Amino acid sequence: MTKLESTKYSVLDLASVTQGHTPADSFKNSLDLAKKVEEFGYTRYWFAEHHNMANVASSATAILIGHIAGGTKTMRVGSGGIMLPNHAPLIVAEQFGTLASIYPGRIDLGLGRAPGTDQTTAHAIRGENFKAMHNFPRDIERLQQFFSAENSHSNVRAIPGEGLEIPIWVLGSSTDSAMVAAGLGLPYAFASHFAPTYFMDAIRLYRENFKPSASLEKPYVISCVNVVAADADEEAERLATSVKQLFMGIVTGRRQLLQPPVDNMEDIWNMHEEAAVNQMLAYSFIGGPAKIKKQMEVFLEKTGVDEVMATSHIYDHQARVHSYKIFSEIFK
């Protein structure tokens, strides 16, 4: 079996809101996509927690996880991730304990330590707790305690949640998160789809410093990447102008709903914006089946990751579904 054939492939969804549509449309599309990718052999379907972004509707992450898990049968569903500074560990344990009780053996809990938003919105989320010190590793350990059967004698218990096997993942975009995941012996998912700079250093440090735990015997790495696949390279490049416009909005601070593709990005961005966007999109796979397969073989040889998580900001829903179908076929 080749490295490509042994690598798992999954989905990261931000419930992107496209121009001319609403979050309600995004949720319908997410469920339809989830049902399709389950058929295509995808391993898991994660949502990322973001707030105060007009083009991202995955703010109530746990609710969307339940929506997707309820509409699928076997695929794992989870968070990529829940931003721990925004939540008390007990509340997270109760929410995911509830999900895991309804959908046993199918729920993943990915955790991040960023706010998932701007500072003003973070203040609105946390209220008086905004200035409180947050200790990411300690909060993860508190979650593990709430999920443990041994916590049944504690004065504070997670019901439901206690005694359930809910895999915890550490998410990150820096070497700091890699050391947290390694020290706790947990699987590690890196946000290389928008923060590629420290990716190679982070996964090296994670593997070198990994301490086996009751959860995981050896290191396990997910790399999240951007994927825009189509039947032909030219069509994929055109579809990818939507994600390029999205990232240009991040670079310039002029965010907008996910835009339709355009024929020529040169009419939209300047050379500095182009350079910044291309830097953020360093780990992107754009093209037809043959091109993407070759690129993925090189990527897997270079990184040795165990799983690839694809996020695809494609304006047309059917084109997005087709992209995920093409991507799944390169692993078979």
Side-chain angles (χ1 to χ4, degrees), residues 11-322:
V11 175
L12 176 69
D13 190 359
L14 274 64
S16 296
V17 185
T18 57
Q19 185 67 44
H21 298 87
T22 68
D25 298 319
S26 300
F27 302 149
K28 291 176 184 176
N29 287 341
S30 290
L31 182 56
D32 180 68
L33 177 63
K35 290 179 176 179
K36 298 287 176 46
V37 299
E38 186 171 63
E39 295 174 1
F40 301 158
Y42 282 78
T43 298
R44 65 190 90 242
Y45 196 108
W46 282 3
F47 284 102
E49 177 188 344
H50 291 285
H51 301 277
N52 196 31
M53 299 180 185
N55 54 8
V56 176
S58 55
S59 55
T61 316
I63 295 175
L64 283 180
I65 291 169
H67 177 57
I68 298 303
T72 53
K73 298 176 181 178
T74 58
M75 185 170 54
R76 300 194 67 88
V77 188
S79 60
I82 293 294
M83 299 297 113
L84 261 187
N86 298 339
H87 312 276
L90 176 62
I91 298 301
V92 176
E94 290 171 340
Q95 289 179 345
F96 278 77
T98 300
L99 286 166
S101 297
I102 301 171
Y103 309 107
R106 295 184 55 205
I107 300 300
D108 292 331
L109 175 53
L111 301 169
R113 61 176 173 182
T117 187
D118 57 87
Q119 290 300 300
T120 303
T121 307
H123 193 284
I125 293 170
R126 301 176 199 168
E128 295 300 317
N129 292 324
F130 180 71
K131 294 183 179 180
M133 293 297 293
H134 294 280
N135 185 310
F136 187 48
R138 185 193 63 201
D139 283 349
I140 294 174
E141 290 171 339
R142 288 178 67 194
L143 266 170
Q144 291 177 316
Q145 180 181 344
F146 284 133
F147 287 139
S148 70
E150 292 75 22
N151 200 58
S152 61
H153 300 293
S154 172
N155 290 329
V156 181
R157 302 169 62 189
I159 308 294
E162 190 176 285
L164 298 182
E165 294 290 335
I166 303 174
I168 292 178
W169 298 70
V170 174
L171 277 64
S173 57
S174 71
T175 53
D176 290 344
S177 58
M179 295 303 291
V180 171
L184 294 175
L186 294 172
Y188 184 45
F190 195 91
S192 37
H193 61 301
F194 74 87
T197 304
Y198 300 106
F199 173 52
M200 294 302 295
D201 286 339
I203 61 175
R204 174 182 57 80
L205 286 170
Y206 169 66
R207 289 166 174 153
E208 289 176 354
N209 294 279
F210 181 83
K211 297 179 180 179
S213 68
S215 305
L216 194 64
E217 292 183 357
K218 60 183 181 178
Y220 191 98
V221 175
I222 287 181
S223 171
C224 189
V225 299
N226 298 286
V227 175
V228 180
D231 293 327
D233 292 349
E234 296 78 9
E235 176 60 14
E237 290 292 346
R238 183 175 182 277
L239 292 174
T241 59
S242 292
V243 69
K244 290 177 180 178
Q245 291 178 78
L246 176 69
F247 275 67
M248 190 176 75
I250 296 171
V251 168
T252 62
R254 299 189 297 269
R255 297 175 183 267
Q256 55 185 347
L257 301 183
L258 187 65
Q259 298 295 301
V262 296
D263 293 327
N264 189 1
M265 283 297 295
E266 303 305 320
D267 297 333
I268 298 177
W269 59 17
N270 60 44
M271 60 182 295
H272 302 294
E273 293 165 349
E274 179 182 6
V277 168
N278 286 336
Q279 190 278 326
M280 293 178 73
L281 293 175
Y283 292 108
S284 297
F285 299 83
I286 301 168
K291 180 180 178 182
I292 287 186
K293 183 174 184 178
K294 184 176 181 179
Q295 289 178 333
M296 185 54 61
E297 287 172 339
V298 172
F299 176 77
L300 293 176
E301 179 67 26
K302 179 182 178 182
T303 64
V305 299
D306 303 281
E307 188 170 336
V308 176
M309 183 165 278
T311 185
S312 299
H313 298 284
I314 298 173
Y315 180 81
D316 180 77
H317 176 62
Q318 294 307 322
R320 186 177 178 221
V321 172
H322 190 53

